[in-house]
Amino acid sequence: MDDKLKFLKLLSESFPTIGSTTTEIINLKAILNLPKGTEHFLTDIHGEYQAFNHVLRNGSGVIKDKIDDIFGDTLEEKFKKQLATVIYYPEEKINFIQEMGTDMDSWYRVTILRLVQVCKVVSSKYTASKIRKALPEDFSYIIQELLHEKEFSYNKKEYVRNIINTIIELDRAKEFIIAISELIQRLTIDVLHIVGDIYDRGPAPHKIMDRLMNYHNVDIQWGNHDILWMNAAAGHKAAIANVIRICSRYSNTDILEDVYGINLLPLATFAMDTYADDDCTQFIPKDSHNKKNDSLMSKIHKAITIIQFKIEAEIIKKNPIFNMEHRILLDKIDFERGTVHIDGVDYPLTDTKFPTIDPKNPLELTPEEREIIHKLKKSFVHSEKLQKHVKFLFAKGSMFLKYNSNLLFHGCIPVDENQEFVKVNICGKTLSGKKYLEELDRVCREGYFNKTDPERKERAVDYMWYLWCGPYSPLFGKDAMKTFERYFTNDKALHKEVKNPYYSFYEDINFIHKIFKEFGLNPEISHIVNGHVPVKEKKGESPIKADGKLIVIDGGFSKAYQSETGLAGYTLIYNSYGLKLVSHEPFQDVKSAIEKCMDIHSSTRIVKRVLQRKRVKDTDIGTKLQEQIDDLYDLLNAYKQGFIKEKH
C-alpha cells in the first residue's frame, strides 16, 4: 500500500487536482475509441533509395486512393494526378509548373483548397493533440484553422478565402503547399516497420538511413546485410572485407569512399600491382555501365575476396562451436592441377591466379594484406557518418519485434526436420526459439558497445559475423553461404544454398501456431511478417502463407531480384479495417514523376478484413493507455478519500 501511495503522490505532480485528473481520464478514454493508426511494412530495400522514397511519399498508393475517394468524378484524372504529384514532390512540382508559364495565383488558390480537403480526410482519425504535434511550426495556426473550418459554411466562407488569399499575397503559397503536403505524407503512415536489409546491392543505402533518421515513427528488424555493416562498424575484419567485396561487386565503392570516408587507396594500389597481369574476369562488377572503371573494380574485388576468405578461416578455426570448418576451402586447392577438393570430389577452378596465396600456408595473410585490413579497420571504426547510422540501427532496431499482435523478423526461426526449434550454443548458453533470438540481440549490442572488455567484445563480434552467414543464423537461414563456389567453380549444384527447414514448414498452419505460442502471441489474431527470401510471383508463388497467418513481403525492391519476382517490392498495410498487401511495379525516375505525373503502379489484395473496425484500445498503445487510465482512477479515489490533497 505504501509503494502504491508513493507512486500516486508522484503521479499527482502531473495531475494536481480532481479536475485535471478527470480531464485526462476523459481524454485517454476518448483516444481508446479512435481508429488504430495505419502501419506500413517494407523489407529488403537494398539501397534502392529512389523507389523507397517514392513509396513513402505516395503512402504505397494510399494517397492516390484518398484523392480518388474525395474527388471521384468531380475532378478530371489529369488534375487528380497533378494533385498527387504535388503531395509527393511539392517543391519540385511547383517549380515545374512555374516554368510552364501558369497563372500561379489561380493555381495556388485551387491547389491549396484541394490539399486542405485531402488533409482533412487523412487527419480525421487522429486527436487534435497528435495533429498539433505533427504540424509545421511556421503554419501551425493557419493549418489548424483551415482543417477545422468548412469552406462553404455561410459564416466562414469569406474567412477561409481570406486566409488563402493572404498566404498568396504574402508570397508564402509555395512554402505553405510544401508544409501541408509533407503533413499529408506524415499522417498517411502512422508507424513504419522496416523488416531488414537496408544495405548492399543498390547505390544509396546511406540516403535511406538519412530518410529513416528523420522519420516520425519507425522501427527496424535487422537483416543479415544490416548486421554485416553494423559488425564492420564495430571493427570486425571479416565483416569489413565482406562489405567492401559486395560494394565492389556492384560497383558501389563510392558509398564507402565519398559517403563514409573509407580510404580504399591502399587496397586499390595493392590490387593494381598484385593483379596487373590478371583480367580478373570472374570479378567484373554486376550490371556495370562504366567499362573504364571495370578493370580497377575487378582487381579490388578479387583482392578483397581472397583477404576475406583468409580472415574467415581464422574466425572459423577460433570458434569450433560454429561448426563451419567445411567453409574453409583455400587449403583444399590443388594449385598445380587447378582444382579444389569439396565433399570428396575435385572440381576444376574457373580462376587459378593466386599471387597472394602461399600453397604451404594458404590461409596466411601476406604482410601487405595484413597492413591493408588494419588500415581499413581504422577507417571503418572512425567513420563518423557510418557510426551515426549504425547507432540508429541499434536504437531503432532489434532481432525481432512483437507489435500489435504481429511478429516481425527478417529471416526465420531456425528449426530441424522435426519442426523442433534448434538448440544453439551461444556464449556458453544452449538456447532455442525466442530465447535464442533475445540472446543474439544482447550479444550484438555487446559487440558494438562494449569498450571495456576486449575478450568479450571479440567473442561478440564473431557471433555477429555468424549472423551474416552461419548455418543457424535466423537472419541468414541457410546451411552455408557459397561465396567461394560461386566465384571459383562452374558446377551449379555446388552453388546451391539449402534453406533452413523453416521454409519447408511455413505453409503449415500448425507450425505457425507453434511459433506464436513460443513468442507468447494469440494465434487467432496474430500474423508473422517476413522478408529475406524474394517471392517469385511471376512463377506463381504467393507471398501469403499458412491461410494468411504468414506474409513474406520481399517482392524485389532490389533491382537484382526483379527478374525473379516480376515485381518491384511489396508494402503490407495494416489499418483499422485489416491487412492488405500492395505490390509495386518498377519506379521509373523522379523526373518522370514530377514532369509527367507518373506514379508507381500498385495493385492491392486483401489479406484479412476485420468485421469490427480496430480501435486504439485493440493495440499495444491502447494497453498502455488503459494502464494509465487505471492509475488515474486510483489517483482520483485517493483524492476523494483524502489520502492525497489537491494542489490548487
Side-chain angles (χ1 to χ4, degrees), residues 311-371:
I311 296 170
E312 288 180 340
E314 183 182 325
I315 295 163
I316 292 166
K317 284 178 175 290
K318 185 175 61 173
N319 295 279
I321 201 166
F322 290 170
N323 293 318
M324 293 177 67
E325 292 79 6
H326 61 290
R327 297 312 307 143
I328 302 175
L329 294 172
L330 290 184
D331 60 352
K332 310 296 188 301
I333 294 175
D334 185 323
F335 292 92
E336 290 184 3
R337 295 174 57 211
T339 60
V340 60
H341 193 74
I342 302 174
D343 296 332
V345 180
D346 290 330
Y347 294 91
L349 293 166
T350 55
D351 185 337
T352 57
K353 295 178 180 177
F354 300 107
T356 65
I357 297 180
D358 177 0
K360 294 179 182 177
N361 294 294
L363 307 180
E364 190 75 24
L365 288 165
T366 68
E368 292 120 302
E369 288 173 325
R370 202 171 291 279
E371 178 65 18

Side-chain angles (χ1 to χ4, degrees), residues 475-638:
L475 305 185
F476 177 51
K478 299 176 185 176
D479 66 334
M481 189 174 284
K482 301 291 187 74
T483 310
F484 180 93
E485 291 89 333
R486 290 173 184 272
Y487 280 122
F488 291 109
T489 72
N490 278 331
D491 193 310
K492 297 294 182 185
L494 280 182
H495 300 178
K496 187 176 180 182
E497 299 169 349
V498 179
K499 294 175 188 173
N500 184 269
Y502 169 89
Y503 296 102
S504 303
F505 301 134
Y506 70 174
E507 294 271 16
D508 181 349
I509 190 69
N510 293 321
F511 175 64
I512 299 304
H513 282 190
K514 182 175 181 175
I515 294 175
F516 289 145
K517 183 179 178 182
E518 172 71 10
F519 284 84
L521 289 165
N522 181 353
E524 297 302 316
I525 60 173
S526 298
H527 303 84
I528 292 173
V529 183
N530 266 179
H532 190 51
V533 178
V535 178
K536 299 178 176 64
E537 274 226 40
K538 67 184 295 185
K539 295 183 179 178
E541 183 184 358
S542 171
I544 303 167
K545 317 285 185 184
D547 297 332
K549 285 295 179 181
L550 184 145
I551 306 107
V552 183
I553 59 169
D554 182 1
F557 256 105
S558 173
K559 289 180 181 176
Y561 287 121
Q562 287 174 9
S563 60
E564 294 182 35
T565 63
L567 297 169
Y570 293 118
T571 302
L572 181 66
I573 299 175
Y574 182 26
N575 59 26
S576 58
Y577 294 104
L579 283 164
K580 60 182 181 179
L581 189 66
V582 180
S583 52
H584 308 296
E585 291 187 1
F587 178 58
Q588 192 162 340
D589 55 62
V590 174
K591 188 172 185 288
S592 299
I594 294 163
E595 294 180 2
K596 301 176 184 177
C597 297
M598 291 186 69
D599 204 348
I600 291 179
H601 178 71
S602 302
S603 55
T604 302
R605 73 195 87 176
I606 302 299
V607 179
K608 180 182 180 181
R609 185 176 290 280
V610 295
L611 296 176
Q612 189 171 359
R613 196 175 185 190
K614 290 271 186 182
R615 306 285 171 179
V616 171
K617 64 184 177 184
D618 304 313
T619 68
D620 294 346
I621 290 172
T623 302
K624 292 175 183 176
L625 291 178
Q626 186 59 55
E627 290 171 359
Q628 292 176 33
I629 291 167
D630 294 342
D631 290 335
L632 287 165
Y633 270 117
D634 289 342
L635 177 61
L636 187 61
N637 289 329

